[in-house]
Amino acid sequence: MQFQRICLAHYHELGLKGHNRTAFEKKLMYNLQALLDRPCVEKVIRISGRILVIFVHEATEEDAESTVGLIARVPGVARVSCGFSCERDIGVMCEAAAQALAEAGEFTTWKVVARRSHTDFEIDSMQMNQIVGAHLCERFPDKPVKMKHPDVEVHVEVVQGHAYIYALSVPGVGGLPVGTAGKVVCLISSGIDSPVAMWRMARRGATVIGVHFSGRPQTASTSEYLVDDIAHVLEEFGGIARIYIVPFGDYQREIAMQVPPALRIVIYRRLMMKIAERIAHKEGAKALVTGESLGQVASQTLDNLAATNAAVDMQIFRPLIGCDKLEIIADAQKLGTFDISSNPAPDCCTLFMPRSPETHAKIPEVEAVEANLPYDAWIDEIMDALELHEYRCPSSYWRAKRREKDEAPAQA
Ligand code: ATP
Ligand code: MG
C-alpha cells in the first residue's frame, strides 16, 4: 500500500515564552517552507504543537531520509520524526505502522505509543496500542516488545480527519528559529572557529551577516573561496544571509610599514572591528561576533581582547570564549565545515605576522600609534570597496517571492 509520506518537526516547548509562542511557531514554519522548497515536498503547515511536512505522492524513502537530515539541522527543531499520514481505518493504520517500523533503521526492541486527540474515533488509545502492537508482533516476529526504553517507538496519532504514523525519529539541533533574535555581524575567517561561532548565533535565532577580510591584493583569493564554501554549508539550514568581502591586504601592508611589529595584530584587529561595526550599522545589526577563545593565540589574551573591544561601541559576542579547541573541532565536524577550514589559506592575519606580538596591549599606547594613521579615510575607502555575496536564507527567499508576486500582474 502506498501511503502519504510526512515529517513532523517538534520544538522544545520549554524554550518558548508565553505570548511569543505563535510568532516562534510561524517563523519556524516560514523558515522550513523556504528551506524545503524542493520537488519532493508538497507543503509545510503548522499543526498543534508541531510543524507538518507533507511530501508529494511520488516521494521515495530516500527523499524522506534526506529531508529529515536537513530538518534536523534547522535551528528551532528539537526533534524530527518521519512516517506516514493515512486514513482513520485501523487496518490501514496497522499497515502504515508496519511500513514505518520497517523504515526505522536498525533496531531490536520496539513498542507502540498510540494517542487520539479526537474522541470521535471509536477506538481508544489503549485498544489502538493492543491492535497495532499485535499486528506488528506478527510482522516482526523476531523483534521483542519492550515497554521501558525500547530502541524504537511506533507512534500512532489519530487527529481530525487523519492518522499520523511514525517510527523513525532523530534529534534536531534545538535553539530558536533564525530571524527571531535580530541581526548580528560575524567576523568570519576561513579558519575552524568562526564558522562554529556563527552557527551558535544562528542557533539562538540570530540572522547572521558575515564579514571576511581577504589579504587580496597582497595574497591570492583562496580564503574567499573557502569562506564561500563554508557559507554554502551554513545556508542549507538558513545559517547565513550574506557575506561582505573586504579586500584588506593593502591596508595591512600599510599598517605593517607604519606600526611597531608588536602592536600590529591588535591594530589590524581594531580596524577590522571598526569596519565590522560600520557594516553592522548599515545592516541594522546590533552586535558583532567573533570566534575567539580565551588564550588561544596572542590576540586572545584578556588585555588584547579589551584593546579590541575599546575600538568600537557596539557589543561584541564571543560564543567560543570558554571552549577548548577540541570541542570547537568536534562542533566544526558536526557542522560540516571542518574539512573546508582545514585547507591552508593565506589570509590577512597570516600576512605580515610579527614574530613576537604584544600579549598585553595598553589601550593609550595603541591609540597613540593609531593617531598617526589615516584611519577615517581608510574606513571610508574600504566601505566603498566592499563586495557583497548573497546566500539563500529564509528572509531572502521570502523577499524574492514577494518580488515575484508584485511583478506578476505587471507582466500579464
Ligand atoms: P578562526 O579559526 O576562526 O580563524 P583563529 O583561532 O584562527 O580563529 P584568529 O585568527 O586570531 O583566531 O581570529 C580570531 C577571530 O577573529 C576569528 O574567529 C574571526 O572571528 C576573526 N577573524 C580572524 N581573521 C579574520 C578574517 N580574515 N576575516 C574576518 N574575521 C577574521
Ligand atoms: Mg584565523
XYZ file of all heavy atoms in Angstrom, residues 123-171:
388
model
N -12.001 3.905 18.552
C -11.068 3.027 19.285
C -10.192 3.897 20.187
O -9.568 4.857 19.704
C -10.180 2.259 18.285
C -11.064 1.536 17.266
C -9.262 1.282 18.997
C -10.308 0.910 16.122
N -10.105 3.589 21.468
C -9.300 4.452 22.346
C -7.821 4.075 22.274
O -7.447 3.083 21.634
C -9.860 4.455 23.775
C -9.621 3.150 24.501
O -8.737 2.375 24.070
O -10.327 2.885 25.492
N -6.971 4.850 22.937
C -5.532 4.659 22.725
C -5.037 3.309 23.257
O -4.169 2.685 22.653
C -4.751 5.827 23.329
O -5.177 6.060 24.626
N -5.620 2.847 24.367
C -5.229 1.515 24.889
C -5.503 0.430 23.850
O -4.653 -0.424 23.580
C -6.043 1.194 26.157
C -5.594 1.957 27.375
S -4.062 1.310 27.990
C -4.674 -0.096 28.899
N -6.716 0.514 23.276
C -7.074 -0.511 22.274
C -6.191 -0.391 21.034
O -5.771 -1.401 20.462
C -8.549 -0.354 21.874
C -9.506 -0.737 22.989
C -10.927 -0.271 22.641
O -11.154 0.870 22.240
N -11.869 -1.164 22.795
N -5.876 0.857 20.647
C -5.001 1.030 19.470
C -3.633 0.416 19.734
O -3.070 -0.269 18.883
C -4.831 2.526 19.162
C -5.976 3.120 18.379
S -5.493 4.689 17.655
C -5.695 5.793 19.012
N -3.109 0.645 20.949
C -1.818 0.038 21.310
C -1.878 -1.468 21.105
O -0.958 -2.075 20.540
C -1.497 0.305 22.785
C -0.864 1.673 22.983
O -0.258 2.211 22.073
N -1.025 2.233 24.169
N -2.974 -2.068 21.578
C -3.080 -3.530 21.501
C -3.218 -4.015 20.061
O -2.504 -4.930 19.634
C -4.288 -4.017 22.317
C -4.007 -4.026 23.806
C -5.284 -3.987 24.631
O -6.392 -4.042 24.094
N -5.130 -3.872 25.935
N -4.100 -3.355 19.300
C -4.362 -3.841 17.936
C -3.125 -3.655 17.049
O -2.674 -4.577 16.381
C -5.589 -3.111 17.318
C -6.836 -3.389 18.169
C -5.800 -3.534 15.874
C -8.043 -2.529 17.832
N -2.550 -2.438 17.086
C -1.376 -2.183 16.231
C -0.204 -3.042 16.729
O 0.542 -3.626 15.936
C -1.005 -0.675 16.218
C 0.229 -0.434 15.369
C -2.172 0.162 15.718
N -0.059 -3.150 18.062
C 1.013 -3.966 18.646
C 0.919 -5.417 18.180
O 1.926 -6.009 17.769
N -0.302 -5.979 18.197
C -0.484 -7.384 17.790
C -0.101 -7.551 16.329
O 0.583 -8.516 15.945
C -1.935 -7.799 18.023
N -0.486 -6.570 15.491
C -0.164 -6.639 14.059
C 1.362 -6.617 13.856
O 1.906 -7.395 13.067
C -0.827 -5.465 13.336
C -0.600 -5.482 11.862
N -1.298 -6.314 11.003
C 0.269 -4.781 11.078
C -0.870 -6.120 9.769
N 0.088 -5.193 9.783
N 2.038 -5.749 14.598
C 3.494 -5.638 14.430
C 4.206 -6.880 14.959
O 5.235 -7.290 14.415
C 4.020 -4.361 15.112
C 3.538 -3.038 14.509
C 4.107 -1.853 15.282
C 3.920 -2.922 13.033
N 3.659 -7.500 16.027
C 4.258 -8.744 16.543
C 4.233 -9.816 15.464
O 5.190 -10.568 15.297
C 3.477 -9.263 17.762
S 3.875 -8.378 19.252
N 3.135 -9.850 14.720
C 3.018 -10.826 13.628
C 4.011 -10.521 12.520
O 4.637 -11.411 11.965
C 1.609 -10.737 13.029
C 0.728 -11.924 13.359
C -0.680 -11.671 12.855
O -0.843 -11.385 11.643
O -1.605 -11.697 13.692
N 4.142 -9.239 12.188
C 5.005 -8.836 11.066
C 6.489 -8.859 11.424
O 7.341 -8.985 10.548
C 4.614 -7.427 10.592
C 3.220 -7.369 9.989
C 3.181 -8.045 8.622
N 3.947 -7.287 7.658
C 3.449 -6.268 6.951
N 2.195 -5.947 7.089
N 4.217 -5.615 6.108
N 6.813 -8.670 12.696
C 8.232 -8.652 13.117
C 8.426 -9.677 14.235
O 8.728 -9.290 15.372
C 8.627 -7.242 13.584
C 8.541 -6.190 12.520
C 7.332 -5.536 12.261
C 9.652 -5.851 11.748
C 7.240 -4.571 11.264
C 9.560 -4.881 10.747
C 8.349 -4.245 10.504
N 8.236 -10.982 13.908
C 8.231 -11.998 14.974
C 9.556 -12.097 15.743
O 9.566 -12.522 16.891
C 7.920 -13.306 14.232
C 8.148 -13.021 12.794
C 8.005 -11.561 12.577
N 10.677 -11.672 15.120
C 11.974 -11.809 15.816
C 12.304 -10.603 16.688
O 13.353 -10.581 17.336
C 13.119 -11.943 14.792
C 12.832 -13.036 13.807
O 12.106 -13.968 14.198
O 13.309 -12.943 12.652
N 11.453 -9.570 16.637
C 11.780 -8.340 17.369
C 10.897 -8.216 18.605
O 9.683 -8.052 18.490
C 11.544 -7.112 16.470
C 12.229 -7.184 15.123
C 13.696 -6.855 15.247
C 14.322 -6.736 13.862
N 15.758 -6.501 13.940
N 11.511 -8.300 19.785
C 10.689 -8.265 21.001
C 10.156 -6.864 21.351
O 10.804 -5.856 21.056
C 11.655 -8.738 22.095
C 13.012 -8.514 21.540
C 12.927 -8.534 20.050
N 9.000 -6.847 21.989
C 8.422 -5.607 22.505
C 9.117 -5.290 23.828
O 9.425 -6.195 24.601
C 6.910 -5.782 22.760
C 6.323 -4.553 23.447
C 6.176 -6.063 21.464
N 9.398 -4.002 24.066
C 9.984 -3.613 25.346
C 9.299 -2.316 25.777
O 9.320 -1.336 25.026
C 11.494 -3.403 25.143
C 12.274 -3.246 26.409
C 13.774 -3.295 26.098
C 14.569 -2.852 27.293
N 15.603 -1.884 26.959
N 8.699 -2.328 26.925
C 7.926 -1.150 27.319
C 8.809 -0.005 27.818
O 8.485 1.160 27.633
C 6.880 -1.510 28.400
C 5.823 -2.493 27.920
S 5.193 -2.129 26.266
C 4.090 -0.785 26.638
N 9.932 -0.345 28.487
C 10.818 0.710 29.005
C 12.013 0.880 28.069
O 12.728 -0.086 27.828
C 11.311 0.330 30.404
C 10.447 0.891 31.491
C 11.176 0.897 32.820
C 10.259 1.478 33.875
N 10.674 1.138 35.214
N 12.232 2.079 27.602
C 13.364 2.395 26.735
C 13.563 1.434 25.563
O 14.638 0.851 25.411
C 14.670 2.470 27.545
C 14.552 3.302 28.774
N 14.210 4.633 28.729
C 14.693 2.989 30.085
C 14.154 5.109 29.964
N 14.441 4.128 30.809
N 12.564 1.264 24.713
C 12.787 0.426 23.522
C 13.669 1.175 22.519
O 13.826 2.408 22.631
C 11.360 0.261 22.973
C 10.658 1.500 23.396
C 11.240 1.889 24.730
N 14.223 0.458 21.537
C 15.045 1.124 20.511
C 14.178 2.056 19.661
O 14.619 3.132 19.271
C 15.699 0.088 19.583
C 16.645 -0.819 20.334
O 17.167 -0.380 21.374
O 16.852 -1.974 19.899
N 12.962 1.612 19.365
C 12.081 2.417 18.502
C 10.686 2.504 19.103
O 10.170 1.503 19.610
C 11.923 1.756 17.101
C 11.073 2.641 16.186
C 13.249 1.485 16.461
N 10.108 3.708 19.032
C 8.690 3.852 19.405
C 7.897 4.061 18.127
O 8.247 4.926 17.321
C 8.510 5.073 20.310
C 9.079 4.880 21.696
C 8.821 6.092 22.604
O 8.348 7.135 22.118
O 9.099 5.965 23.813
N 6.847 3.271 17.964
C 5.985 3.456 16.786
C 4.807 4.329 17.242
O 3.973 3.877 18.030
C 5.477 2.104 16.246
C 4.627 2.330 14.996
C 6.640 1.162 15.957
N 4.799 5.577 16.787
C 3.736 6.493 17.217
C 2.539 6.398 16.286
O 2.697 6.400 15.063
C 4.253 7.929 17.246
C 5.192 8.163 18.388
N 4.806 8.784 19.543
C 6.491 7.804 18.552
C 5.836 8.817 20.376
N 6.871 8.230 19.796
N 1.377 6.289 16.901
C 0.131 6.236 16.141
C -0.735 7.350 16.713
O -1.126 7.291 17.877
C -0.564 4.870 16.338
C -1.908 4.847 15.627
C 0.337 3.738 15.852
N -0.994 8.371 15.907
C -1.733 9.520 16.413
C -2.960 9.749 15.574
O -2.851 9.935 14.349
C -0.868 10.771 16.236
C -0.075 11.132 17.439
C 0.620 12.466 17.182
O -0.056 13.482 16.932
O 1.848 12.441 17.211
N -4.102 9.740 16.225
C -5.329 9.998 15.472
C -5.731 11.446 15.709
O -5.893 11.871 16.859
C -6.456 9.037 15.911
C -7.756 9.385 15.196
C -6.047 7.603 15.615
N -5.815 12.220 14.622
C -6.255 13.608 14.730
C -7.509 13.753 13.881
O -8.003 12.767 13.332
C -5.130 14.582 14.270
C -3.919 14.496 15.174
C -4.736 14.322 12.828
N -7.984 14.993 13.747
C -9.210 15.170 12.976
C -8.950 14.843 11.494
O -8.072 15.444 10.881
C -9.661 16.616 13.112
C -11.136 16.771 12.907
C -11.579 18.181 13.305
O -10.769 19.096 13.424
N -12.854 18.344 13.509
N -9.645 13.870 10.977
C -9.546 13.567 9.546
C -8.409 12.645 9.128
O -8.431 12.103 8.020
N -7.375 12.498 9.961
C -6.233 11.657 9.553
C -5.667 10.893 10.732
O -5.951 11.201 11.877
C -5.028 12.500 9.093
C -5.326 13.481 8.056
N -5.335 13.160 6.733
C -5.617 14.797 8.157
C -5.637 14.253 6.051
N -5.813 15.248 6.895
N -4.748 9.972 10.366
C -3.893 9.373 11.399
C -2.452 9.589 10.959
O -2.147 9.525 9.761
C -4.196 7.900 11.532
N -1.588 9.941 11.897
C -0.159 10.062 11.610
C 0.551 8.892 12.273
O 0.336 8.626 13.460
C 0.420 11.364 12.175
C -0.227 12.605 11.629
C -0.660 13.619 12.474
C -0.395 12.759 10.252
C -1.253 14.766 11.969
C -0.989 13.906 9.741
C -1.424 14.899 10.606
O -2.015 16.016 10.098
N 1.385 8.235 11.484
C 2.093 7.064 11.985
C 3.577 7.290 11.721
O 3.955 7.551 10.570
C 1.672 5.789 11.197
C 0.172 5.756 10.911
C 2.215 4.537 11.857
C -0.705 5.298 12.004
N 4.402 7.237 12.755
C 5.837 7.414 12.514
C 6.667 6.630 13.517
O 6.245 6.416 14.648
C 6.227 8.894 12.528
C 5.802 9.657 13.760
C 6.642 9.758 14.875
C 4.561 10.284 13.810
C 6.254 10.466 15.997
C 4.168 10.997 14.936
C 5.015 11.079 16.026
O 4.622 11.768 17.140
N 7.851 6.206 13.061
C 8.743 5.442 13.936
C 10.135 6.060 13.945
O 10.726 6.271 14.996
C 8.800 3.995 13.479
N 10.655 6.379 12.753
C 11.996 6.975 12.684
C 11.947 8.369 13.315
O 11.095 9.184 12.976
C 12.431 7.114 11.216
C 13.815 7.696 11.010
C 14.877 6.671 11.361
C 14.011 8.166 9.580
N 12.854 8.634 14.240
C 12.844 9.922 14.924
C 14.276 10.279 15.302
O 14.980 9.458 15.886
C 11.962 9.782 16.169
O 11.835 11.016 16.807
N 14.708 11.455 14.899
C 16.099 11.839 15.191
C 16.128 13.183 15.916
O 15.264 14.023 15.694
C 16.968 11.924 13.903
C 17.084 10.579 13.217
C 16.433 12.964 12.937
N 17.135 13.391 16.783
C 17.206 14.678 17.482
C 17.578 15.810 16.527
O 18.340 15.601 15.582
C 18.304 14.474 18.533
C 19.009 13.221 18.172
C 18.187 12.460 17.195
